Amino acid sequence: MPGWLKNAVFYEIYPQSFNDTNGDGIGDFEGIIEKLDYIRDLGANALWINPCFDSPFMDAGYDVRDYKKTAARYGTNDDLIRLFETAHQKGIRVLLDLVPGHTSDQHEWFLESKKDEVNEYSGRYIWTSHAFEGIAGRPYISGMSDRAGAYMLNFFASQPALNYGWLNRTEKWMSAVDSPEAIATREAMKDVMRFWLDAGCDGFRVDMADSLVKNDDENKSATAAIWANVRDMLDKEYPEAALVSEWSNPYQAINGGKFHMDFYLDHWNNGYNTLLRDYETGGEDNSFFRSEGHGDIMRFLNDYLPKYNATKDNGYIAMFTCNHDTPRPARTLSAQELKLAYAFILTMPGVPFIYYGDEIGMRYLDVKTKEGGYQRTGSRTPMQWDHTRNMGFSAAEENSLYLPVDHSSDAPAVSDQINDPDSLYTLTKNITAIRHAYPDLQADGPFEVVYAEKEQLPFVYRRGSLVLAVNPSLEEKKAPVTFRENEPVFTVGKAEIRDGQLILSPQSFVILK
Ligand code: GLC
Ligand code: CA
């Protein structure tokens, strides 16, 4: 386990929309470099950058055309290496996004694979044995190549599935997981990882990490075995490199796949979803952090605790404010509600991720789809730095921006919040500072529930020598438990100890030591 993860606070950057320094309307590596001090001052000491490789951008770069070459619109490989170096000087680690399950249909491997003549890449993707044979229950495409076969898709139509083999093989064209072609795909992906680790990156966020082996068993043990093999390579060759999975099943990803950490994704009705985005399930919005949500922390804990307990000795659960696939939390939560939510997310065990712009409460915008974003596009709009042209994102003409900026007169901006002691930005900065100051609050610090009852507030939890409590409701709440910690080290709203009992004002959060 890379030691630096213990105290890591990540900041996710969607490079298209972060900071444009050459006026072409789209963010770039130089723009990230320029803002590294901003990121460090916020208290983040690690970055995850969404795919920044050569791509036709049918899925915002998750359709990689060349794993070893950066997309020209962001800069050159050398610019990215300079980003790694500058970040390291400032104590910031950088994770790239590895997309191992599929490539773009314009990747050289695929261009070779679709040829009629057998070659080195014929088995790199999943193909049936003739053009009129499809793949039952799976998306596939036929009739687009000289090669007589249908190829399987892993996501959009432009993303053919790489071949890691099939565990349960029912057709003769299905490769075994230990076939030479399946092993070759795995080794090719390790080669990509070595390439960027040698160039100075600190690890990878792994896209759709659970999607490799097809017809896997219910524990996804064949897919997990591939990642355990990758982890062995890292342990030997790059022991400081970190791997985080987009899997959202820590038993499989951490215990099986030996990932250092696994994202707790926003999936309908899982524990995480009930905290911020309960509305997505279609019913009434009873999100825990909504002041009128009649929050029930048990909906979160019943899902989270078994996962946490089963994996905490092997790796970390990574909880985020949002990501590029998920509606911004400010879509439904007020600044005060967001403060409580971030205070909670940033004081939980595991590794927290802040999505760019969430620290100022950027909104989910109603914008047209871009590069395969569809409804996700509303969470991918340009960072709002100040109130100058294009909110400080770019000097380009407004109509040549990658995506429109928030035009509302009260659009949040960094410049308004950075010196405001009551802003969401300042809350985020202060809570990350406390996390850095108290090892008990960090990734592997202990976690214990002190008071949590169905449909009752507050929620009180312990992290080692600290007691934390949150009351998202509009009423004062009393914690019906006693503990000896009584000195507040951090508060949102008001918390007081009266007759040995903790009283929390409406919409408040406290850390006691
Ligand atoms: C992941 C990414 C998403 C992408 C998909 C296909 O879910 O987060 O943005 O579209 O994988 O690569
Ligand atoms: Ca640019």
Side-chain angles (χ1 to χ4, degrees), residues 209 213 216 219-229 247 252-253 256-258:
V213 173
D216 207 343
N219 297 319
K220 301 223 172 171
S221 50
T223 296
I226 293 175
W227 292 114
N229 174 284
W247 194 316
Q252 296 176 355
K258 307 274 182 265

Side-chain angles (χ1 to χ4, degrees), residues 19-28 73:
N19 185 26
D20 170 26
T21 54
N22 64 353
D24 62 355
I26 188 159
D28 39 56
R73 66 193 203 179

Side-chain angles (χ1 to χ4, degrees), residues 217-281:
D217 61 22
E218 61 176 336
N219 297 319
K220 301 223 172 171
S221 50
T223 296
I226 293 175
W227 292 114
N229 174 284
V230 169
R231 168 74 187 270
D232 276 349
M233 180 278 279
L234 291 180
D235 285 352
K236 284 192 198 100
E237 299 173 34
Y238 307 92
E240 285 293 286
L243 267 192
V244 54
S245 48
E246 186 198 31
W247 194 316
S248 212
N249 187 323
Y251 309 103
Q252 296 176 355
I254 295 174
N255 292 352
K258 307 274 182 265
F259 274 91
H260 298 117
M261 41 184 180
D262 182 36
F263 279 117
Y264 195 5
L265 297 175
D266 180 62
H267 285 159
W268 281 24
N269 241 335
N270 74 359
Y272 174 77
N273 179 260
T274 69
L275 296 172
L276 311 174
R277 301 181 187 83
D278 186 45
Y279 64 89
E280 286 183 292
T281 42

Side-chain angles (χ1 to χ4, degrees), residues 29-37 79 82-83 86 90:
F29 294 136
E30 189 55 43
I32 300 175
I33 293 173
E34 206 178 87
K35 298 294 184 184
L36 287 170
D37 285 343
D79 293 328
R82 198 158 44 82
L83 193 169
T86 322
K90 297 177 191 292

